[in-house]
Amino acid sequence: MSSRALPALVLVLLSGCPGGGGSVGDSCSNASDCDGPLQCVEHVCAPRCQRAPECGDGYACDADGLCRAATGEVGDACESEVECGSGLSCQIDGTTATGSGKLPTSCSAQYPGRPAGSECSVDTQCRNGTCALGHCVDLCTDTRDCGSGDACMSIPRIEANGVMFRGCLPARGTIEWTIPVIGPRSDILFPIPDAARSALLVFRVDDVAQKVGALRVDEPNGDPLAPIYKKPCHRSSPTDTTCDDVVAIEQYFAQSVRHLPEAGQSELLLPSTPSTPLIPGAYKVKVSSFRANDSAGSAIPRVTAVLKMDSAVTLDLHFYFLDLDDHPCDAAFGSRRLDAAAAKDATFFQSDFVGELRTVFSGGGLAIGATTYQDLTDHPDLDGLTIDDAGALLSLGAHETGINVFFVRTLSPVGLQAFGPNPGPAGVAGTRQSGVIISVDTLCYRSWSQLARLTAHELSRYMGLYHNVELEVAQHPSWRDPIDDSDASSRNLMFFSELGGIELSPGQREILSKSAVLR
Amino acid sequence: MRRVALAVAFSLALPARGEEIQLPQPAIDALTQIDELPSTAQLDGAFGDQALMNLQMIALDESSIDPGVQLRAVRALTHYCNPLPCSASDPVHTTLTTVATNPRYQDARSGSDLLMLRAAIESLGILRVPGDVTILVPQLQHASRDIRAATAHALRDLGNTQAIAALRARYQQEQVPQVRIAISDALRVLGQPI
């Protein structure tokens, strides 16, 4: 809080003087006119405040719950929105930090713009003059300065190359916004507030013949010679001696941040392991589209950022049923049609499948929350799914929270039991990767509880876990997940085989708990 | 019952009927992956230089192999016919035609036996042996919509225009949209769109 502004704050009224008798809404001239703990604000008895916006523009809410009028005038230094008088807002003045390491801020006239929390792309769209993470943000020094549901936290200022400032952002749920990209290969800054628990980038291009993703990622204030991610090499020709498939895979597994550009869409999730935690500040990401041969593409990537802001651990599941009529494995579901209505009531689904999912995820510290059921019987082209068409099916995933789970009749190639992104676009619905696909024909030779285990495996990949070990780990010891405490056991949930177990290490549980699909 | 162990170093003969095949753990691991199909390198790593023979043995077994393993083995056989199109006399092709024409699988109406037939049909499509039209076309009449759809896809992949008449005829009587779409797609690829 500004040293100039603080003494200027005026205590509107003393509080706690009993016996006035005025109720909420009654007129008053001071606190003694109001009943009990009420205060007198602008000549009206009002409850004590918890947040400054309850007091109105130009007021702070102090630690005693009293509204205090701000007296900051145009040009006065400030640190919080609540220090500036009515009609003014505390705004960032420049892009260079002062000697104290803070950005210069002062009271300035409000813009005719949107209130805090509204979507924005530039400062001037916001009434109070600050746009960050795609949303209008009020400057603050304390969470009491922020609206209900928001918290005061340190936020990187992109326009100032990541210098941190204090602003109000949602304390719960997720924050999602679009990061503009100007060309097929561009550097972007990815701002991470100090309260964020995980951060996800979703890269997309419309031309699915081109790949898209990150070329390189640098930590905030990181060593330019030591990025935390570099795209693995690509063999440019048969005579290329610098790269082959094994070298490329080794490079992928050697990094604590796991990511590969993919056709049409890919995701980059931070953190991939507890040993490389998320750092507040601006990550520098070089994003690119690629041709099939890995040369630079022509498509301009679209980048969506998603931050998980809380420690909520409830996983909602949204089940979609393609037309499973007359299915060859219908003995597993009572020789009747398996659809949304049947699944809601059937013991085999509720107990043997969803119940087993609850058991598996409770071991991971997660709770299964809401489950929804929907038929997709008007997509016969996707009933028996060829994996090349997975994007068309997953784009029907309409739920942003939780994970969309699609039950198809069959998956081709034969033998694939499940398919999904690793990780998936948490918090972003309707994309080519918005869900996981489970093939019901597995029920011809496996039980519902076994199907639940492999479904939990695929859901966990969506949430950011990787195979604890790959099949070739005996020949290539580094081909395993980046989590230090997960072992190579087949008892692990992330063992690549359908014959694995359901154990999770503490590190795996920590990564799971940070997924933005959780609420 | 005698037990025959499949192993990297010794698996030179197909087991006699009634013999139980014991798979080494690397083979089970390679053929039970949830979200990936085994690559040639993975199969070679699991079976050594006997991968083809071991996969044939697994595919042709009718008693002791886990269906999930067997399905993937049938599909994995296609890795071992190079180049494509496959020769009709190639052991991969003869193994897959043996599976696809096995009455146990052809007559199946449900369960994992039906999945085996679908696996063989899908794999024959990949091999692109033109003469397999005669094996595949009758499956357009199969009682299972999933087999009919898989057959239409296989005929599409086969690329033999001799399948067009049968596909058109089936399209006229087919009631299931999933299969009609598969046939329509096959006819489009074969140059005779509906």
Side-chain angles (χ1 to χ4, degrees):
Chain A
M1 190 169 286
S2 158
S3 58
R4 286 181 58 194
L6 237 185
L9 286 176
V10 176
L11 179 62
V12 174
L13 286 171
L14 294 173
S15 65
C17 302
S23 302
V24 172
D26 289 347
S27 61
C28 56
S29 58
N30 58 48
S32 62
D33 296 336
C34 303
D35 192 20
L38 298 182
Q39 59 178 329
C40 186
V41 182
E42 293 189 337
H43 307 293
V44 176
C45 292
R48 301 241 183 155
C49 60
Q50 293 184 314
R51 301 293 186 107
E54 298 164 22
C55 303
D57 184 30
Y59 284 92
C61 176
D62 73 11
D64 295 324
L66 299 175
C67 296
R68 293 174 179 270
T71 57
E73 297 179 351
V74 172
D76 288 349
C78 59
E79 291 191 17
S80 172
E81 175 62 28
V82 301
E83 297 170 24
C84 300
S86 180
L88 303 179
S89 61
C90 187
Q91 298 179 22
I92 298 170
D93 289 329
T95 58
T96 305
T98 62
S100 65
K102 295 180 179 177
L103 292 168
T105 49
S106 65
C107 295
S108 306
Q110 291 177 340
Y111 291 94
R114 305 164 190 165
S118 304
E119 292 187 0
C120 60
S121 53
V122 294
D123 289 341
T124 52
Q125 292 175 333
C126 300
R127 181 191 305 161
N128 292 335
T130 304
C131 179
L133 284 62
H135 293 80
C136 293
V137 170
D138 283 353
L139 304 192
C140 58
T141 57
D142 190 283
T143 291
R144 281 195 309 277
D145 302 346
C146 305
S148 175
D150 282 1
C152 187
M153 62 188 76
S154 293
I155 306 169
R157 176 76 167 165
I158 293 305
E159 295 80 354
N161 205 29
V163 175
M164 305 294 272
F165 69 98
R166 300 277 291 170
C168 300
L169 282 174
R172 298 184 54 79
T174 59
I175 300 173
E176 177 189 329
W177 76 101
T178 299
I179 297 178
V181 178
I182 58 173
R185 181 161 291 183
S186 302
D187 288 324
I188 60 172
L189 291 177
F190 183 20
I192 309 296
D194 61 354
R197 287 179 51 82
S198 68
L200 174 76
L201 289 175
V202 181
F203 306 101
R204 282 177 279 181
V205 287
D206 292 330
D207 179 5
V208 296
Q210 296 191 36
K211 293 189 288 185
V212 65
L215 259 177
R216 172 187 169 114
V217 180
D218 289 274
E219 282 183 331
N221 306 313
D223 180 352
L225 300 177
I228 59 169
Y229 171 78
K230 274 182 73 175
K231 181 184 158 304
C233 66
H234 179 82
R235 191 174 201 178
S236 57
S237 71
T239 58
D240 184 352
T241 57
T242 61
C243 187
D244 62 25
D245 289 346
V246 172
V247 171
I249 296 172
E250 293 281 1
Q251 290 180 1
Y252 170 79
F253 283 110
Q255 308 189 65
S256 60
V257 174
R258 296 287 165 88
H259 172 70
L260 279 178
E262 295 175 50
Q265 180 174 338
S266 69
E267 285 77 25
L268 173 77
L269 176 63
L270 301 168
S272 295
T273 169
S275 61
T276 307
L278 194 62
I279 297 175
Y283 282 77
K284 185 177 177 183
V285 180
K286 185 178 286 293
V287 56
S288 180
S289 58
F290 304 86
R291 307 275 185 192
N293 65 2
D294 255 28
S295 62
S298 59
I300 298 177
R302 289 177 288 127
V303 179
T304 303
V306 182
L307 302 178
K308 177 176 171 60
M309 303 303 293
D310 60 21
S311 56
V313 289
T314 299
L315 172 63
D316 295 337
L317 294 175
H318 309 288
F319 298 117
Y320 295 82
F321 298 85
L322 278 294
D323 180 358
L324 302 178
D325 195 24
D326 192 24
H327 193 275
C329 312
D330 63 5
F333 33 98
S335 299
R336 60 180 179 145
R337 182 189 177 103
L338 176 60
D339 56 17
K344 275 182 197 172
D345 299 326
T347 302
F348 56 77
F349 197 88
Q350 292 301 319
S351 177
D352 300 345
F353 183 71
V354 177
E356 181 67 12
L357 285 175
R358 288 186 200 281
T359 300
V360 172
F361 281 119
S362 69
L366 309 185
I368 301 294
T371 52
T372 66
Y373 301 82
Q374 183 177 335
D375 289 320
L376 283 179
T377 52
D378 53 348
H379 294 276
D381 52 322
L382 305 174
D383 287 343
L385 190 72
T386 300
I387 209 62
D388 291 344
D389 295 331
L393 179 59
L394 293 175
S395 64
L396 300 174
H399 295 272
E400 292 179 348
T401 59
I403 303 179
N404 303 297
V405 181
F406 296 86
F407 290 100
V408 297
R409 299 181 66 85
T410 59
L411 261 178
S412 292
V414 167
L416 269 188
Q417 296 176 312
F419 179 82
N422 182 212
V428 186
T431 80
R432 296 173 47 78
Q433 298 188 348
S434 292
V436 302
I437 299 165
I438 305 298
S439 180
V440 172
D441 62 10
T442 298
L443 289 169
C444 278
Y445 55 92
R446 297 285 183 258
S447 67
W448 275 103
S449 63
Q450 289 171 312
L451 191 73
R453 187 265 170 183
L454 70 89
T455 302
H457 172 96
E458 209 61 24
L459 293 171
S460 299
R461 279 164 56 87
Y462 193 98
M463 288 188 276
L465 293 187
Y466 295 85
H467 290 159
N468 61 330
V469 289
E470 298 295 336
L471 178 64
E472 303 91 335
V473 72
Q475 300 83 41
H476 304 279
S478 69
W479 292 16
R480 52 176 303 144
D481 72 13
I483 298 175
D484 294 339
D485 65 1
S486 65
D487 60 22
S489 169
S490 63
R491 297 187 303 275
N492 195 281
L493 177 63
M494 299 317 295
F495 191 65
F496 55 80
S497 164
E498 57 170 319
L499 306 179
I502 62 171
E503 293 179 358
L504 287 166
S505 72
Q508 288 175 309
R509 290 199 292 270
E510 180 178 337
I511 294 299
L512 271 186
S513 73
K514 293 183 175 181
S515 171
V517 305
L518 303 172
R519 65 167 175 87
Chain B
M1 182 182 289
R2 274 186 60 204
R3 292 188 172 193
V4 177
L6 283 189
V8 171
F10 56 95
S11 57
L12 301 176
L14 297 179
R17 184 174 293 275
E19 288 181 332
E20 183 178 338
I21 297 175
Q22 280 193 307
L23 298 177
Q25 193 59 44
I28 294 173
D29 288 345
L31 295 172
T32 58
Q33 297 180 79
I34 294 170
D35 36 39
E36 292 175 20
L37 289 183
S39 65
T40 306
Q42 289 175 331
L43 293 164
D44 291 343
F47 293 110
D49 57 4
Q50 302 294 322
L52 172 57
M53 183 170 289
N54 282 322
L55 291 171
Q56 286 179 282
M57 201 179 293
I58 295 168
L60 294 172
D61 178 75
E62 289 195 53
S63 58
S64 60
I65 299 288
D66 175 85
V69 169
Q70 202 165 17
L71 286 172
R72 292 164 173 112
V74 169
R75 185 61 173 70
L77 276 168
T78 60
H79 289 285
Y80 290 92
C81 187
N82 291 306
L84 295 174
C86 199
S87 159
S89 59
D90 189 283
V92 169
H93 180 254
T94 54
T95 303
L96 288 174
T97 55
T98 300
V99 174
T101 57
N102 184 332
R104 169 179 167 177
Y105 303 135
Q106 281 194 323
D107 297 342
R109 293 294 175 266
S110 63
S112 57
D113 283 353
L114 196 72
L115 302 190
M116 278 291 287
L117 179 60
R118 189 168 77 84
I121 288 170
E122 182 178 298
S123 300
L124 285 175
I126 293 167
L127 298 189
R128 295 184 4 231
V129 176
D132 284 347
V133 164
T134 57
I135 296 173
L136 293 172
V137 160
Q139 301 302 337
L140 286 173
Q141 310 302 323
H142 199 281
S144 165
R145 58 190 270 189
D146 300 302
I147 294 299
R148 297 198 301 276
T151 301
H153 288 312
L155 289 169
R156 174 198 63 193
D157 297 341
L158 209 63
N160 187 341
T161 54
Q162 289 178 13
I164 290 173
L167 285 163
R168 280 190 171 278
R170 181 66 213 182
Y171 186 84
Q172 297 305 319
Q173 60 182 133
E174 181 61 57
Q175 299 295 312
V176 178
Q178 171 196 2
V179 184
R180 287 176 65 86
I181 291 169
I183 294 174
S184 175
D185 183 45
L187 287 168
R188 181 183 56 77
V189 172
L190 294 173
Q192 294 285 320
I194 294 290

